[in-house]
């Protein structure tokens, strides 16, 4: 399964990168630097986990690949915009991302701010376009759900909590909420987008929602573990950034061993939510295991 | 007409501020600072020109006020987000806006970046919500049009051009394009939103589009003139910022007198495009004159 998953993830990444390349064409007009920065932010590698989740959840319902890949690209635009803004000097002040200079280091700070803004905006333009789905009700649902997952009560709210966590001691409850907002809501959108595109039944949509919830938490715990013992040559970022910033993480609260155990438990639980889809959900099930065992 | 316009603008501003207050409730959860910064960015006064254009273009087609005011609030969210990011140290580095500290001065830079991101996202959430229009096709059209007006080929593209204009000498053509992107597209969206909400005929939509085009240019020339001879106590910002930054403006290219004449000409032309609506468009016509005669 591990090999099958890895080639499926590679194929999904290639599909979404082609779509991003298509949606963000190169240009030589005066403001081309903006488009270059947007491409730089989106085409520098990465696991493309969220696009994989969109494509595979859509696959459960036989959604046309041309539609699903547009939603996958929109999700990746939002993910990449959030990284660009997160890396800014006023935020995490990161110089490196995936082993390359961050957007504000490669270009400049103003361009990085604008490239992030433009990527976020483009995501909604892509979703609202008739090419994404023939039914405008489905397109509106996607726009509303993405805005909710990405906005003040989702990802951006989580980023604000993350800033506050540098000065306040968060307990397990607050840390769980922070992570659910910061990364969980976008992972949940990615898993549920397939259900929206495929007009899934209520139990099917609920199963994907439950899967996403456990997967998101497992993913974050694994991320915290990598921050402690990951190899910077593999993860592409320095270790123990969270500890240095004095932030509570699942690992600082639970300890390494219990955190690792908890991540595995959540991954198992996530997979079981998908039992109603039989073997059609095998790749989504195995990605849960991948998420907690990955080294980067 | 001047008195009638001023009370109509006041009424529109009050309506949209109530709606913003409703869409951005106060809160005391941990990340409340984000919501406070969003409210601070949107509820600090301003002419509310774009909401006025939305409400009055919608009025031409008898659109329900409850629907139009949501679109007006969405436009204002995008306008205010753009000001918050524009004011950042890496961009215009402004300390004051409408006579008050800018968001990053009142809060901090990270909060200002996130508040802008969240306002932009909220605009799309509001448009996609069924409360904005019963027809999902209309809501999708609004989302697509706003994303286009605000994104890489609209406002953000214009902001990028504006940064480039500090180092390159722009001619009349490039300056016109810069301003069309930076402010014109959002003004055009505001005028055309009413036509979309009201399912206007093609000639009606075209008339509003032509009106918006001339109004946007007139507005920008008037803005450039205020930068030269405005009273900072009235405009709330220092004069001659553009000249200090070495930027080409309509005034630096045309000179004060020809620029003033051109603005008046465009305002007249804008008004004439609305003749097909008879006296129902009188307020929209008079706002064109207001825009070029205003002192702030």
């Amino acid at each position: 399964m591990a090999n099958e998953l890895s080639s499926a993830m590679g194929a999904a990444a290639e599909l979404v990168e082609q779509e991003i390349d298509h949606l963000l064409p190169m240009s030589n007009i005066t403001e081309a630097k903006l488009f270059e920065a947007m491409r730089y932010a989106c085409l520098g590698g990465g696991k493309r986990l969220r696009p994989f989740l969109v494509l595979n959840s859509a696959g459960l319902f036989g959604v046309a690949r041309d539609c699903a890949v547009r939603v996958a690209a929109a999700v990746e635009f939002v993910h990449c915009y959030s990284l660009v803004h997160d890396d800014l000097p006023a935020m995490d002040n990161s110089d490196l991302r995936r082993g390359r200079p961050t957007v504000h280091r490669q270009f400049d700070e103003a361009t990085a701010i604008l490239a992030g803004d433009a990527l976020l905006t483009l995501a909604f333009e892509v979703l609202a376009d008739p090419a994404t789905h023939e039914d405008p009700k489905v397109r509106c649902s996607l726009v509303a759900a993405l805005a909710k997952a990405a906005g003040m009560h989702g990802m951006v709210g989580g980023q604000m909590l993350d800033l506050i966590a540098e000065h306040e001691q968060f307990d397990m409850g607050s840390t769980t909420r922070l992570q659910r907002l910061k990364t969980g809501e976008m992972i949940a959108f990615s898993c549920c987008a397939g259900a929206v595109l495929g007009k899934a039944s209520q139990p099917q949509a609920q199963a994907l929602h439950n899967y996403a919830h456990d997967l998101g938490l497992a993913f974050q715990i694994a991320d915290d573990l990598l921050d402690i013992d990951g190899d910077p040559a593999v993860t592409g970022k320095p270790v123990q950034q969270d500890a240095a910033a004095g932030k509570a993480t699942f690992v600082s609260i639970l300890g390494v061993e219990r955190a690792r155990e908890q991540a595995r438990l959540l991954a198992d639980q996530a997979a079981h939510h998908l039992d109603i889809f039989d073997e059609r959900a095998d790749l989504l099930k195995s990605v849960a295991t991948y998420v907690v065992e990955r080294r980067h």
Side-chain angles (χ1 to χ4, degrees), chain A:
Chain A
M1 198 65 205
N3 271 344
E4 205 182 321
L5 176 67
S6 124
S7 71
M9 286 190 76
E14 208 178 303
L15 262 180
V16 79
E17 278 156 30
Q18 279 169 10
E19 186 67 23
I20 290 171
D21 181 62
H22 165 75
L23 291 168
L24 278 177
M26 271 172 288
S27 149
N28 56 6
I29 51 175
T30 316
E31 66 273 29
K33 189 181 177 188
L34 173 68
F35 309 154
E36 278 165 38
M38 292 168 77
R39 286 176 63 89
Y40 183 87
C42 293
L43 291 170
K47 296 177 292 291
R48 314 292 187 188
L49 174 65
R50 291 157 193 79
F52 176 85
L53 294 171
V54 173
L55 293 173
N56 281 277
S57 66
L60 292 175
F61 308 101
V63 173
R65 192 88 332 177
D66 287 358
C67 298
V69 78
R70 291 176 59 90
V71 179
V75 168
E76 198 65 5
F77 288 151
V78 172
H79 178 56
C80 292
Y81 120 77
S82 78
L83 299 180
V84 174
H85 282 189
D86 242 4
D87 286 336
L88 286 167
M91 306 273 292
D92 286 351
N93 194 19
S94 301
D95 292 337
L96 284 177
R97 162 79 57 191
R98 295 171 189 148
R100 297 190 312 163
T102 47
V103 177
H104 67 275
R105 297 291 289 171
Q106 181 72 16
F107 296 83
D108 54 68
E109 227 181 300
T111 304
I113 294 167
L114 293 177
D117 292 344
L119 285 170
L120 173 59
T121 311
L122 180 60
F124 294 108
E125 190 177 344
V126 168
L127 291 185
D129 190 294
T132 298
H133 199 283
E134 54 178 7
D135 185 347
K137 214 166 161 182
V138 166
R139 303 202 299 275
C140 270
S141 295
L142 290 170
V143 169
L146 181 62
K148 224 175 164 105
M152 60 196 278
H153 298 299
M155 189 179 68
V156 175
Q159 286 170 307
M160 189 74 222
L161 276 174
D162 209 27
L163 291 172
I164 293 166
E166 287 180 22
H167 312 290
E168 278 181 36
Q169 203 49 51
F170 275 29
D171 61 12
M172 186 65 185
S174 306
T175 302
T176 305
R177 181 165 174 271
L178 184 167
Q179 300 300 354
R180 180 175 59 74
L181 294 178
K182 195 180 173 199
T183 59
E185 294 287 344
M186 281 296 293
I187 287 179
F189 172 83
S190 306
C191 297
C192 297
V196 177
L197 283 166
K199 301 189 176 178
S201 70
Q202 178 52 31
Q204 290 173 322
Q206 187 63 50
L208 279 164
H209 186 270
N210 295 342
Y211 163 79
H213 179 267
D214 293 338
L215 180 73
L217 267 183
F219 178 83
Q220 193 52 51
I221 298 175
D223 225 46
D224 291 351
L225 283 162
L226 282 173
D227 186 65
I228 295 292
D229 61 5
D231 176 353
V234 182
T235 61
K237 54 187 176 188
V239 287
Q240 308 209 352
Q241 277 187 310
D242 291 336
K247 281 182 202 171
T249 68
F250 290 113
V251 178
S252 73
I253 294 170
L254 296 173
V256 171
E257 278 320 305
R258 279 185 59 207
R260 205 180 299 281
E261 198 183 318
Q262 181 71 7
R264 287 189 182 132
L265 216 103
L266 283 162
D268 277 355
Q269 197 172 294
H272 277 304
H273 291 302
L274 300 183
D275 286 343
I276 62 164
F277 297 107
D278 307 321
E279 68 278 9
R280 284 176 297 149
D282 280 354
L283 279 172
L284 285 173
K285 286 181 177 185
S286 61
V287 89
T289 311
Y290 157 79
V291 147
V292 299
E293 304 295 348
R294 75 203 154 96
R295 303 304 299 158
H296 59 93

